[in-house]
Amino acid sequence: MTKTIKIIFSLIIIIFFSTIIVLSTTGIKTNKFNSFISQKIKQNNDKIEIELQSIYFKLDIKEVSLFLETESPKIYYKNNLVPSSKIRVYLDFLSIIKSEGKIKKVILNLNQFSVDQLKTISQTFKPSNFQSFIKNKLIKGKINSEVELYLDINNSLDNFIARGTVLDLNVEISKDLKFKETSFNFIADQTDLLLKNFSGKSELFSIEEGDLKADLSSEIKIETNFTSDIKINREIKKIQKLFPHLNFIKNFSNIRARINNSLKLNFDKTYKLNNFDYKNNGKIINANFDLESLNFDYFLNKKLNNLSIFDSDIKTNLNPKQKLVSLTGKYSLNKDRKLNFDISQSI
């Protein structure tokens, strides 16, 4: 009798672990939930249409939860196809037994899609200025993403988490400032946005090692840190357009610098800038100013034609209460011998 019990117990263990292995890998094919999932998702989201293929009943070991999975689903948002490779639907199976049928969470794996496709499906995004930014400022790029959708008891969207990667993005900040080859990792929900490993190039400078955090819960708060590698060679007209209030910009001949930047911005609910704080520190490797147009003499009545700065440390602190720039390093006049300088100036 004892031997029989051992055999039965062993069979139960084998069947149990075999079932776990099957559910956590290939899953069990079923067609019983196709229409159920489509109807439940569409129930309070009438802009969405879903066509599902074969569905597999599987086990998520990490979450100790059963879910339904299908590959290559056809998902339409406002009649626009959303490129997707896989969809997972986590069900409250107790509610199914009670004939209520509640979806707890949907995980959508998106195929790599383009900025043009994002523009098409963003027509109802809010706020409207975010929609306008996508439509008018994003030029090209590729996006890989996974989106987790959390539904409430009425199967309406309660929250979401989106994470992924943006590659080869071209974006127009203004008419005279465009970034290309931009890439970053992101994670976002209804109240927060986080960008990591941000990098991009413009004609005047490139950005490396960037991160950005945005709090969108009530008032909008943005914090960003990044390193800028500046290489400017006689882009004078463009610089003047970008910084019209800085008169000395017109005298730039060239500048080479590497700067660490920290920026905080606070906006109210109408997106009006309430407060800002900008700090930087870094190194000006070299910079040259053409000063012939100023027409003034210096020591011994020699005309001043050129000012050069070398190997100089720069620190800046700009906010509504103070605007301070500090420079320490070496300079030369008319390409003569190098001299030391130390300047702190409010601007």
Side-chain angles (χ1 to χ4, degrees):
M1 186 70 178
T2 304
K3 184 177 181 180
T4 302
I5 293 174
K6 288 183 178 179
I7 293 172
I8 293 173
F9 183 76
S10 298
L11 287 173
I12 292 173
I13 294 295
I14 292 171
I15 292 171
F16 174 77
F17 281 103
S18 298
T19 303
I20 294 296
I21 292 171
V22 171
L23 287 175
S24 61
T25 53
T26 58
I28 299 172
K29 188 175 180 179
T30 177
N31 293 316
K32 293 183 179 181
F33 292 95
N34 293 47
S35 59
F36 167 79
I37 293 173
S38 299
Q39 290 171 6
K40 285 296 180 181
I41 292 178
K42 188 179 177 182
Q43 181 176 322
N44 291 299
N45 303 278
D46 56 3
K47 297 182 179 67
I48 299 176
E49 293 281 351
I50 298 181
E51 297 177 11
L52 303 176
Q53 304 299 319
S54 297
I55 292 179
Y56 289 85
F57 189 67
K58 304 182 78 172
L59 172 67
D60 187 328
I61 295 179
K62 290 183 179 180
E63 297 192 16
V64 194
S65 179
L66 295 167
F67 65 92
L68 301 170
E69 180 182 271
T70 183
E71 296 188 358
S72 303
K74 291 184 179 180
I75 303 174
Y76 297 88
Y77 179 73
K78 295 195 69 176
N79 297 320
N80 296 302
L81 181 64
V82 178
S84 53
S85 60
K86 185 185 297 183
I87 185 170
R88 289 183 177 186
V89 178
Y90 289 74
L91 299 171
D92 183 341
F93 284 93
L94 182 60
S95 70
I96 293 176
I97 295 173
K98 295 179 180 180
S99 301
E100 296 173 358
K102 180 183 180 299
I103 296 176
K104 296 191 296 184
K105 177 173 68 173
V106 176
I107 298 180
L108 181 62
N109 292 93
L110 301 178
N111 287 330
Q112 187 176 88
F113 61 101
S114 68
V115 162
D116 289 337
Q117 290 171 306
L118 177 62
K119 288 181 179 181
T120 299
I121 64 176
S122 68
Q123 295 175 6
T124 59
F125 283 8
K126 293 181 180 181
S128 58
N129 57 352
F130 177 57
Q131 179 190 140
S132 176
F133 177 82
I134 292 175
K135 180 179 178 181
N136 301 311
K137 299 298 185 180
L138 301 187
I139 301 170
K140 75 165 191 173
K142 299 174 183 177
I143 305 167
N144 294 306
S145 182
E146 178 184 273
V147 182
E148 294 184 20
L149 305 173
Y150 294 87
L151 307 182
D152 61 20
I153 57 175
N154 297 314
N155 287 311
S156 295
L157 181 63
D158 184 48
N159 200 355
F160 74 90
I161 298 175
R163 56 176 62 85
T165 305
V166 173
L167 302 169
D168 197 26
L169 178 68
N170 286 11
V171 56
E172 181 181 290
I173 305 299
S174 68
K175 182 179 179 181
D176 299 294
L177 182 60
K178 298 179 178 65
F179 277 92
K180 61 181 182 179
E181 299 177 25
T182 303
S183 65
F184 55 86
N185 301 324
F186 68 88
I187 182 169
D189 60 19
Q190 289 183 327
T191 59
D192 296 284
L193 170 65
L194 180 64
L195 306 185
K196 285 288 189 181
N197 302 319
F198 186 95
S199 64
K201 298 179 181 179
S202 73
E203 292 184 70
L204 304 178
F205 61 92
S206 62
I207 290 177
E208 305 170 4
E209 303 171 8
D211 63 72
L212 181 147
K213 181 181 180 181
D215 181 353
L216 311 174
S217 54
S218 54
E219 297 181 351
I220 299 175
K221 299 178 181 179
I222 297 175
E223 296 183 20
T224 180
N225 299 281
F226 59 93
T227 299
S228 53
D229 193 4
I230 303 170
K231 298 177 183 178
I232 300 174
N233 291 300
R234 297 195 179 277
E235 294 280 352
I236 296 173
K237 292 182 179 179
K238 183 166 289 189
I239 298 172
Q240 284 182 276
K241 290 180 180 179
L242 288 171
F243 305 101
H245 302 297
L246 300 181
N247 293 326
F248 67 88
I249 289 291
K250 64 184 179 182
N251 300 110
F252 264 125
S253 173
N254 68 280
I255 181 170
R256 176 77 170 88
R258 189 168 179 84
I259 309 294
N260 299 313
N261 306 271
S262 175
L263 175 64
K264 296 180 180 180
L265 301 171
N266 287 3
F267 299 86
D268 64 17
K269 294 180 180 180
T270 65
Y271 308 108
K272 178 183 177 182
L273 182 63
N274 275 342
N275 199 7
F276 71 92
D277 185 67
Y278 172 69
K279 296 178 182 178
N280 73 28
N281 67 83
K283 181 79 71 176
I284 298 177
I285 299 167
N286 60 70
N288 290 285
F289 299 83
D290 292 329
L291 305 178
E292 294 182 37
S293 60
L294 298 181
N295 291 320
F296 66 86
D297 298 338
Y298 74 110
F299 314 109
L300 302 177
N301 295 322
K302 291 183 180 180
K303 188 174 181 180
L304 182 59
N305 296 321
N306 174 270
L307 168 64
S308 298
I309 297 175
F310 309 91
D311 194 27
S312 299
D313 296 319
I314 182 172
K315 290 184 179 181
T316 303
N317 193 346
L318 304 177
N319 58 54
K321 295 182 179 180
Q322 67 173 342
K323 296 176 175 62
L324 181 65
V325 176
S326 173
L327 276 170
T328 304
K330 299 181 182 295
Y331 77 98
S332 71
L333 299 174
N334 288 349
K335 300 183 179 180
D336 203 343
R337 65 191 182 94
K338 297 179 181 179
L339 303 170
N340 295 323
F341 75 97
D342 189 343
I343 299 174
S344 291
Q345 179 69 49
S346 295
I347 58 175

PDB file of all heavy atoms in Angstrom, residues 264 275-279 316-324 347:
ATOM      1  N   LYS A 264      16.526  72.686 -14.810  1.00  0.00           N
ATOM      2  CA  LYS A 264      15.225  72.418 -14.194  1.00  0.00           C
ATOM      3  C   LYS A 264      14.215  73.436 -14.715  1.00  0.00           C
ATOM      4  O   LYS A 264      14.495  74.644 -14.720  1.00  0.00           O
ATOM      5  CB  LYS A 264      15.312  72.503 -12.668  1.00  0.00           C
ATOM      6  CG  LYS A 264      16.214  71.451 -12.033  1.00  0.00           C
ATOM      7  CD  LYS A 264      16.246  71.591 -10.521  1.00  0.00           C
ATOM      8  CE  LYS A 264      17.157  70.545  -9.895  1.00  0.00           C
ATOM      9  NZ  LYS A 264      17.209  70.663  -8.412  1.00  0.00           N
ATOM     10  N   ASN A 275       9.247  78.811 -13.466  1.00  0.00           N
ATOM     11  CA  ASN A 275      10.566  78.920 -12.837  1.00  0.00           C
ATOM     12  C   ASN A 275      11.572  78.088 -13.625  1.00  0.00           C
ATOM     13  O   ASN A 275      11.195  77.139 -14.328  1.00  0.00           O
ATOM     14  CB  ASN A 275      10.507  78.421 -11.394  1.00  0.00           C
ATOM     15  CG  ASN A 275      11.682  78.914 -10.569  1.00  0.00           C
ATOM     16  OD1 ASN A 275      12.482  79.729 -11.024  1.00  0.00           O
ATOM     17  ND2 ASN A 275      11.805  78.410  -9.357  1.00  0.00           N
ATOM     18  N   PHE A 276      12.834  78.445 -13.528  1.00  0.00           N
ATOM     19  CA  PHE A 276      13.886  77.678 -14.194  1.00  0.00           C
ATOM     20  C   PHE A 276      15.177  77.811 -13.410  1.00  0.00           C
ATOM     21  O   PHE A 276      15.378  78.772 -12.655  1.00  0.00           O
ATOM     22  CB  PHE A 276      14.090  78.172 -15.639  1.00  0.00           C
ATOM     23  CG  PHE A 276      14.738  79.533 -15.744  1.00  0.00           C
ATOM     24  CD1 PHE A 276      16.115  79.663 -15.851  1.00  0.00           C
ATOM     25  CD2 PHE A 276      13.953  80.686 -15.731  1.00  0.00           C
ATOM     26  CE1 PHE A 276      16.709  80.915 -15.936  1.00  0.00           C
ATOM     27  CE2 PHE A 276      14.531  81.939 -15.818  1.00  0.00           C
ATOM     28  CZ  PHE A 276      15.920  82.056 -15.922  1.00  0.00           C
ATOM     29  N   ASP A 277      16.054  76.854 -13.591  1.00  0.00           N
ATOM     30  CA  ASP A 277      17.373  76.893 -12.978  1.00  0.00           C
ATOM     31  C   ASP A 277      18.334  76.141 -13.891  1.00  0.00           C
ATOM     32  O   ASP A 277      18.139  74.951 -14.162  1.00  0.00           O
ATOM     33  CB  ASP A 277      17.359  76.257 -11.588  1.00  0.00           C
ATOM     34  CG  ASP A 277      18.699  76.400 -10.894  1.00  0.00           C
ATOM     35  OD1 ASP A 277      19.073  77.539 -10.562  1.00  0.00           O
ATOM     36  OD2 ASP A 277      19.384  75.372 -10.694  1.00  0.00           O
ATOM     37  N   TYR A 278      19.358  76.840 -14.375  1.00  0.00           N
ATOM     38  CA  TYR A 278      20.330  76.225 -15.279  1.00  0.00           C
ATOM     39  C   TYR A 278      21.720  76.384 -14.688  1.00  0.00           C
ATOM     40  O   TYR A 278      22.132  77.483 -14.304  1.00  0.00           O
ATOM     41  CB  TYR A 278      20.284  76.879 -16.657  1.00  0.00           C
ATOM     42  CG  TYR A 278      21.404  76.420 -17.575  1.00  0.00           C
ATOM     43  CD1 TYR A 278      21.434  75.115 -18.065  1.00  0.00           C
ATOM     44  CD2 TYR A 278      22.439  77.281 -17.925  1.00  0.00           C
ATOM     45  CE1 TYR A 278      22.467  74.682 -18.885  1.00  0.00           C
ATOM     46  CE2 TYR A 278      23.475  76.855 -18.752  1.00  0.00           C
ATOM     47  CZ  TYR A 278      23.485  75.563 -19.228  1.00  0.00           C
ATOM     48  OH  TYR A 278      24.506  75.126 -20.032  1.00  0.00           O
ATOM     49  N   LYS A 279      22.423  75.273 -14.606  1.00  0.00           N
ATOM     50  CA  LYS A 279      23.805  75.284 -14.131  1.00  0.00           C
ATOM     51  C   LYS A 279      24.676  74.496 -15.094  1.00  0.00           C
ATOM     52  O   LYS A 279      24.217  73.505 -15.672  1.00  0.00           O
ATOM     53  CB  LYS A 279      23.902  74.673 -12.732  1.00  0.00           C
ATOM     54  CG  LYS A 279      23.159  75.434 -11.657  1.00  0.00           C
ATOM     55  CD  LYS A 279      23.261  74.728 -10.317  1.00  0.00           C
ATOM     56  CE  LYS A 279      22.476  75.485  -9.253  1.00  0.00           C
ATOM     57  NZ  LYS A 279      22.523  74.801  -7.934  1.00  0.00           N
ATOM     58  N   THR A 316      28.450  78.313 -14.873  1.00  0.00           N
ATOM     59  CA  THR A 316      27.323  79.217 -15.101  1.00  0.00           C
ATOM     60  C   THR A 316      26.185  78.848 -14.166  1.00  0.00           C
ATOM     61  O   THR A 316      25.929  77.672 -13.920  1.00  0.00           O
ATOM     62  CB  THR A 316      26.824  79.122 -16.559  1.00  0.00           C
ATOM     63  OG1 THR A 316      27.903  79.406 -17.437  1.00  0.00           O
ATOM     64  CG2 THR A 316      25.708  80.112 -16.821  1.00  0.00           C
ATOM     65  N   ASN A 317      25.509  79.869 -13.649  1.00  0.00           N
ATOM     66  CA  ASN A 317      24.325  79.666 -12.828  1.00  0.00           C
ATOM     67  C   ASN A 317      23.287  80.700 -13.254  1.00  0.00           C
ATOM     68  O   ASN A 317      23.464  81.897 -13.023  1.00  0.00           O
ATOM     69  CB  ASN A 317      24.672  79.826 -11.343  1.00  0.00           C
ATOM     70  CG  ASN A 317      23.562  79.309 -10.449  1.00  0.00           C
ATOM     71  OD1 ASN A 317      22.439  79.069 -10.902  1.00  0.00           O
ATOM     72  ND2 ASN A 317      23.861  79.147  -9.165  1.00  0.00           N
ATOM     73  N   LEU A 318      22.212  80.228 -13.883  1.00  0.00           N
ATOM     74  CA  LEU A 318      21.163  81.118 -14.383  1.00  0.00           C
ATOM     75  C   LEU A 318      19.821  80.718 -13.780  1.00  0.00           C
ATOM     76  O   LEU A 318      19.402  79.566 -13.889  1.00  0.00           O
ATOM     77  CB  LEU A 318      21.067  81.039 -15.908  1.00  0.00           C
ATOM     78  CG  LEU A 318      22.332  81.336 -16.716  1.00  0.00           C
ATOM     79  CD1 LEU A 318      22.065  81.133 -18.203  1.00  0.00           C
ATOM     80  CD2 LEU A 318      22.818  82.754 -16.467  1.00  0.00           C
ATOM     81  N   ASN A 319      19.164  81.667 -13.135  1.00  0.00           N
ATOM     82  CA  ASN A 319      17.802  81.495 -12.632  1.00  0.00           C
ATOM     83  C   ASN A 319      17.196  82.885 -12.480  1.00  0.00           C
ATOM     84  O   ASN A 319      17.880  83.889 -12.693  1.00  0.00           O
ATOM     85  CB  ASN A 319      17.785  80.687 -11.327  1.00  0.00           C
ATOM     86  CG  ASN A 319      18.628  81.319 -10.233  1.00  0.00           C
ATOM     87  OD1 ASN A 319      18.442  82.486  -9.899  1.00  0.00           O
ATOM     88  ND2 ASN A 319      19.574  80.554  -9.691  1.00  0.00           N
ATOM     89  N   PRO A 320      15.916  82.983 -12.124  1.00  0.00           N
ATOM     90  CA  PRO A 320      15.307  84.313 -12.039  1.00  0.00           C
ATOM     91  C   PRO A 320      15.980  85.253 -11.046  1.00  0.00           C
ATOM     92  O   PRO A 320      15.874  86.477 -11.172  1.00  0.00           O
ATOM     93  CB  PRO A 320      13.871  83.999 -11.594  1.00  0.00           C
ATOM     94  CG  PRO A 320      13.611  82.625 -12.115  1.00  0.00           C
ATOM     95  CD  PRO A 320      14.899  81.908 -11.978  1.00  0.00           C
ATOM     96  N   LYS A 321      16.696  84.713 -10.057  1.00  0.00           N
ATOM     97  CA  LYS A 321      17.321  85.557  -9.042  1.00  0.00           C
ATOM     98  C   LYS A 321      18.758  85.940  -9.370  1.00  0.00           C
ATOM     99  O   LYS A 321      19.257  86.956  -8.885  1.00  0.00           O
ATOM    100  CB  LYS A 321      17.278  84.843  -7.687  1.00  0.00           C
ATOM    101  CG  LYS A 321      15.865  84.640  -7.159  1.00  0.00           C
ATOM    102  CD  LYS A 321      15.890  83.975  -5.798  1.00  0.00           C
ATOM    103  CE  LYS A 321      14.466  83.803  -5.255  1.00  0.00           C
ATOM    104  NZ  LYS A 321      14.461  83.143  -3.924  1.00  0.00           N
ATOM    105  N   GLN A 322      19.452  85.123 -10.158  1.00  0.00           N
ATOM    106  CA  GLN A 322      20.829  85.455 -10.496  1.00  0.00           C
ATOM    107  C   GLN A 322      21.220  84.892 -11.845  1.00  0.00           C
ATOM    108  O   GLN A 322      20.693  83.872 -12.282  1.00  0.00           O
ATOM    109  CB  GLN A 322      21.783  84.944  -9.420  1.00  0.00           C
ATOM    110  CG  GLN A 322      21.869  83.425  -9.321  1.00  0.00           C
ATOM    111  CD  GLN A 322      22.953  82.976  -8.345  1.00  0.00           C
ATOM    112  OE1 GLN A 322      23.852  83.734  -7.996  1.00  0.00           O
ATOM    113  NE2 GLN A 322      22.849  81.737  -7.887  1.00  0.00           N
ATOM    114  N   LYS A 323      22.128  85.604 -12.505  1.00  0.00           N
ATOM    115  CA  LYS A 323      22.677  85.171 -13.784  1.00  0.00           C
ATOM    116  C   LYS A 323      24.180  85.414 -13.704  1.00  0.00           C
ATOM    117  O   LYS A 323      24.672  86.519 -13.927  1.00  0.00           O
ATOM    118  CB  LYS A 323      22.043  85.951 -14.947  1.00  0.00           C
ATOM    119  CG  LYS A 323      20.545  85.704 -15.097  1.00  0.00           C
ATOM    120  CD  LYS A 323      19.952  86.573 -16.188  1.00  0.00           C
ATOM    121  CE  LYS A 323      18.488  86.245 -16.414  1.00  0.00           C
ATOM    122  NZ  LYS A 323      17.670  86.491 -15.203  1.00  0.00           N
ATOM    123  N   LEU A 324      24.902  84.340 -13.381  1.00  0.00           N
ATOM    124  CA  LEU A 324      26.327  84.466 -13.087  1.00  0.00           C
ATOM    125  C   LEU A 324      27.148  83.537 -13.969  1.00  0.00           C
ATOM    126  O   LEU A 324      26.816  82.365 -14.136  1.00  0.00           O
ATOM    127  CB  LEU A 324      26.587  84.136 -11.607  1.00  0.00           C
ATOM    128  CG  LEU A 324      28.024  84.245 -11.104  1.00  0.00           C
ATOM    129  CD1 LEU A 324      28.500  85.687 -11.152  1.00  0.00           C
ATOM    130  CD2 LEU A 324      28.127  83.703  -9.680  1.00  0.00           C
ATOM    131  N   ILE A 347      25.320  88.650 -15.806  1.00  0.00           N
ATOM    132  CA  ILE A 347      24.917  89.046 -17.151  1.00  0.00           C
ATOM    133  C   ILE A 347      23.429  89.382 -17.175  1.00  0.00           C
ATOM    134  O   ILE A 347      22.697  89.090 -16.249  1.00  0.00           O
ATOM    135  CB  ILE A 347      25.230  87.937 -18.176  1.00  0.00           C
ATOM    136  CG1 ILE A 347      24.519  86.640 -17.791  1.00  0.00           C
ATOM    137  CG2 ILE A 347      26.718  87.707 -18.288  1.00  0.00           C
ATOM    138  CD1 ILE A 347      24.677  85.532 -18.813  1.00  0.00           C
TER     139      ILE A 347
END
